[in-house]
Amino acid sequence: MERSATELMLKGYGLTTAELFYRMPDYRHVLNSFIWQEYDLAPDYPRLFAFIAFWQDEIEGPLHSVRFTHRKLIAAGEWRHVVKEFRLH
């Protein structure tokens, strides 16, 4: 069952964006890039590492490097205890 993005964020997932640099199969001296984005769980990143394993098994272009970033979109808010409220006019 596919979960919605909101459900994933409430469970602690954040948006992971990875840029994969790979060599072209026919022209090994040429680097190309591929952008991958998915909700993933830090610090283990199971979906990112599963995608990298898939790439290495199924895609002909060998990986050169991977650069990624992770951002939680829903975080704990700041709460302040308000004791008094002043009204003017």
Side-chain angles (χ1 to χ4, degrees), residues 28-45:
R28 297 293 174 145
H29 61 281
V30 177
L31 282 177
N32 205 354
S33 67
F34 178 81
I35 302 294
W36 175 88
Q37 193 171 51
E38 185 69 50
Y39 289 100
D40 209 353
L41 197 56
D44 296 329
Y45 304 104

Side-chain angles (χ1 to χ4, degrees), residues 2-61:
E2 190 67 27
R3 295 181 185 166
S4 72
T6 305
E7 286 178 302
L8 289 173
M9 287 186 282
L10 290 173
K11 291 184 184 277
Y13 283 73
L15 190 62
T16 302
T17 304
E19 184 175 18
L20 294 90
F21 293 95
Y22 64 96
R23 298 192 182 277
M24 297 294 290
D26 296 335
Y27 303 97
R28 297 293 174 145
H29 61 281
V30 177
L31 282 177
N32 205 354
S33 67
F34 178 81
I35 302 294
W36 175 88
Q37 193 171 51
E38 185 69 50
Y39 289 100
D40 209 353
L41 197 56
D44 296 329
Y45 304 104
R47 291 185 179 188
L48 174 61
F49 290 125
F51 181 75
I52 291 173
F54 167 78
W55 184 288
Q56 291 174 334
D57 293 340
E58 303 294 330
I59 307 295
E60 290 183 22

